[in-house]
Amino acid sequence: QVQLVESGGGLVQAGGSLRLSCAASGRIFSINAMGWYRQAPGKQRELVAAITSGGSTDYADSVKGRFTISRDNAKNTVYLQMNSLKPEDTAVYYCNARIKASVLTTIRDYWGKGTLVTVSS
C-alpha cells in the first residue's frame, strides 16, 4: 500500500516561515505530479502548489512569491517552503501525489492525513 506522511506544521507568528515535508512510501512504481492543498475552517479544499515529475510548478495566486514547492524524486518527497506567512494561511495542509503503484495498475490520487498550520497575528 502507498502512504503519504506529512510533517512540519505548527504555530507561527505572521511574517514567519515554515517548511512542510511529505514522504511517499510503500508500493510505488512511479510518481507523477505532487502537490499541496489546504482547507481552512468552513472553506473548501484548495490547491496551494503543485509540481510535476519534471519540475514544472504551479501556484495559487494567493501564495505566489511567498511559497515555494520542490521535490526530491530519489526520496519520493515533496516540500513546501512557506515564507511571509499570513493569518489567512491558517489551514490544514494536505499532501497529494498521483502514483502508479505497479506497471499493471493505473495512476491514482493518494492523500496524506494533513498537518495543521496556524499563523497568529
Side-chain angles (χ1 to χ4, degrees), residues 14-92:
S17 298
L18 283 175
R19 189 191 193 211
L20 305 183
S21 300
C22 170
S25 62
R27 190 183 184 195
I28 298 172
F29 177 75
S30 64
I31 303 178
N32 287 13
M34 303 184 80
W36 290 94
Y37 288 72
R38 67 186 180 187
Q39 187 167 18
K43 295 188 177 181
Q44 290 189 330
R45 190 175 297 190
E46 63 175 357
L47 174 68
V48 176
I51 184 167
T52 67
S53 56
S56 296
T57 59
D58 189 29
Y59 295 92
D61 288 342
S62 60
V63 307
K64 283 180 181 177
R66 300 187 298 122
F67 291 9
T68 302
I69 189 170
S70 61
R71 64 190 281 175
D72 184 333
N73 291 330
K75 296 181 179 179
N76 291 337
T77 299
V78 63
Y79 306 96
L80 185 68
Q81 178 66 43
M82 305 185 293
N83 298 330
S84 302
L85 283 161
K86 303 175 181 180
E88 51 263 45
D89 294 318
T90 295
V92 177

Side-chain angles (χ1 to χ4, degrees), residues 8-18 20 41 82 85-93 115-121:
L11 173 65
V12 65
Q13 288 188 330
S17 298
L18 283 175
L20 305 183
M82 305 185 293
L85 283 161
K86 303 175 181 180
E88 51 263 45
D89 294 318
T90 295
V92 177
Y93 284 70
T115 184
L116 177 62
V117 171
T118 303
V119 184
S120 63
S121 56

Side-chain angles (χ1 to χ4, degrees), residues 1 34 104:
Q1 299 300 323
M34 303 184 80
L104 298 176

